């Protein structure tokens, strides 16, 4: 993908203001909604079993995030997910903390078994645990095992038959046939809660306007990373509070020229 | 109402620090509590069926917001609402997203049927859908149908026998006999999540200190709009992150002279 | 305790990045997670009955906060608390709003009866109501009755057989044998929601790295108060929005020299 293509998809986001239905965790609801509004999308959060099917079907994308899951919320996710599948609404899945408890792992697999998911976004440990590989977790944060994120993303994409957006120091997007690496973003993102969760919802925004979901995922991650780099450069030595606010500003302002200048997307050749 | 009267009511808010009980959605709890604290009120959020009646009866106002409703929360709202009614505590109702799903519309009407509500605050689509008029919704945001907000507010106030605070590009407050239009506020409010929800809770704050709830609603909306205009003027070209923070600052600082200078309240003559 | 000892414990927090499991209220989840991340800890929020025992046992501390409790959440707290007790994970308890409704008081006592708690943090009214003394409440904020916070903290520590961290204008920490008063902090903390709740979670962070929990509590409160003073001095006349953001920055940046310069901890002689 070229930077111009990515900028064009962002432009479409701002023109179409897609409605994105989020069933997400109680820590990040506000930040997620503000991030999506800043980007030009229209977020909605709805959880009641009685309405999630109706809400998912009118949305441009559905985002499922298990950060503070319980069995009731998982039930709502499956109802919403099936409705999204029936109406060709793309589903993004964020398996927060998979591997840290058995319940989380079981529920994540149950969701994947019942709902067709277009994109799974997680850190390396979450993606590894999702496919049964061992990878250490610390609560909802990834430990490290020195594995290769490109191989992990490709292998998970093949085994789960979906697009994997594996994010961390380097971000990798793969559908197992085609793989991209994105060299943007900033370490201070790890000091603000919900930046991974918001990114999953941002992938929903991009999938709502771009039918090629591999391109949607690459574009969403790139835009996010570029906005983070600009925000970090505008708040040097300030701290995570100031960064967080400036990041929302930048999601709102990000211009095509900035994407062209700063983005760094690499296509990985498959052997 | 004169600007001086509005400033006086704000002054009473700061002197009396009314306790406002919010049963609201999971997206806006933090922003709502911070907004009310900034304004000088004392917010409390309580949801348990076992305690909402006790909490509502000691509050100066009760605010019910169905943004992320489920049947359990609606039950809590009705228990709290009946307790508020029994103890002459004014109830503010924010029918978030009514019209976007059948469940939301049904629950909103159920609440209105069981609880006497002093003020309903919503956008045009929500108010229209509440009284059975068709008005397009996009998730929880209003679509537009070119209708006249003054007529809609008056008609809804008459049919629901309550005060309607219809907010949008122009804000209208009506009890069907008397109608005001407030020409304050700023478009960037639509880029920050929960600004409508916080406004509903602010109307609770004003209703807690001003027995004329029509005046309370006009005052609350005016103060809110003036604070937004000042905040926007202090963060030009910055973006929604910076605006959001400055808006909290301004809710805290807003002075009588600023209300006198900036407020623009128009009494609408009834034919 | 000396300022150097406090700085050393903060240093350990940043080196060990302890995982802190929070079962807290829906108003403060985001602010709590961001505060803990800023400080160098690794926050996790998990509520499901099926996973809280697993999460609590791998954590460095468990924080229970009843701000928006319901019977389901209390059940989760007790399951998590018992698991923490079984695995020597310290438990911090924040009895938000105890005394404002009978349900809240009953549930707080139930938790204390079933879980061994290392530190209870609350305002004077909450601590008083917890031990059956009358102290006026206004929602979840403390009223005042002119009582002596040192005597109250000592008496509660003795009767509940735990460490009491009583915070307000002056902060007092006591295990009934040893008592400290901390003269740091800033009044603007009361204008930002969740500053008490975040402090409770910060005590969890410190208890996770410092086995002497009395020292952990004194250190956590001191660090918090010093960060607040610096944040307030960097945002003079700005308001609670700007303060909140700068406070997160300062939790991240706070240096040993600042603790040495600004901290004011007094050991209270027991008669």
């Amino acid at each position: 993908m070229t930077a111009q293509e990515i900028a064009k998809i962002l432009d479409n986001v701002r023109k179409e203001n897609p409605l994105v239905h989020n069933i997400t965790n109680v820590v990040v609801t506000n930040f997620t909604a503000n991030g999506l509004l800043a980007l030009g999308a229209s977020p909605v959060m709805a959880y009641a079993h009685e309405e999630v099917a109706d809400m998912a079907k009118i949305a441009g994308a559905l985002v499922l995030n298990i950060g503070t899951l319980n069995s009731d919320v998982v039930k709502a996710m499956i109802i919403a997910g099936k409705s999204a599948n029936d109406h060709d609404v793309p589903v993004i899945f964020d398996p927060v903390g998979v591997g840290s408890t058995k319940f989380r792992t079981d529920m994540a697999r149950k969701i994947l078994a019942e709902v067709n998911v277009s994109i799974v976004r997680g850190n390396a440990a979450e993606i590894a645990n999702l496919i049964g590989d061992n990878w250490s977790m610390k609560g909802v944060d990834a430990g490290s095992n020195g594995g290769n994120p490109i191989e992990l993303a490709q292998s998970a994409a093949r085994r789960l038959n979906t697009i994997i957006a594996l994010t961390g120091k380097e971000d990798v997007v793969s559908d197992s046939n085609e793989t991209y690496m994105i060299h943007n973003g900033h370490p201070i993102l790890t000091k603000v809660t919900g930046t991974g969760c918001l990114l999953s919802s941002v992938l929903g925004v991009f999938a709502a306007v771009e039918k090629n979901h591999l391109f949607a995922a690459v574009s969403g991650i790139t835009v996010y990373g570029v906005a983070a780099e600009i925000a970090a450069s505008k708040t040097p030595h300030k701290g995570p509070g100031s960064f967080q606010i400036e990041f929302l500003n930048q999601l709102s302002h990000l211009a095509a020229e900035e994407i062209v200048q700063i983005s760094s997307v690499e296509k990985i050749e498959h052997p």
Side-chain angles (χ1 to χ4, degrees), chain A residues 4 39 46 58 86 122 166 174 212 228 237 241 262 268:
Chain A
Q4 283 76 11
L39 201 57
I58 59 169
D86 287 346
L166 190 164
S174 179
N212 181 327
H237 318 299
I262 300 171
I268 304 293

Side-chain angles (χ1 to χ4, degrees), chain A residues 232-253:
Chain A
S233 77
K234 288 195 177 251
T235 53
H237 318 299
K238 284 287 190 80
S242 298
F243 167 77
Q244 180 194 168
I245 295 305
E246 189 56 35
F247 183 51
L248 290 174
N249 290 343
Q250 292 306 321
L251 286 175
S252 168
H253 286 322

Side-chain angles (χ1 to χ4, degrees), chain A residues 64-78:
Chain A
L64 307 177
N65 174 308
I66 62 169
T68 55
L69 84 174
N70 61 43
S71 47
D72 229 46
V73 167
V74 170
K75 205 172 149 189
M77 288 179 179
I78 291 171

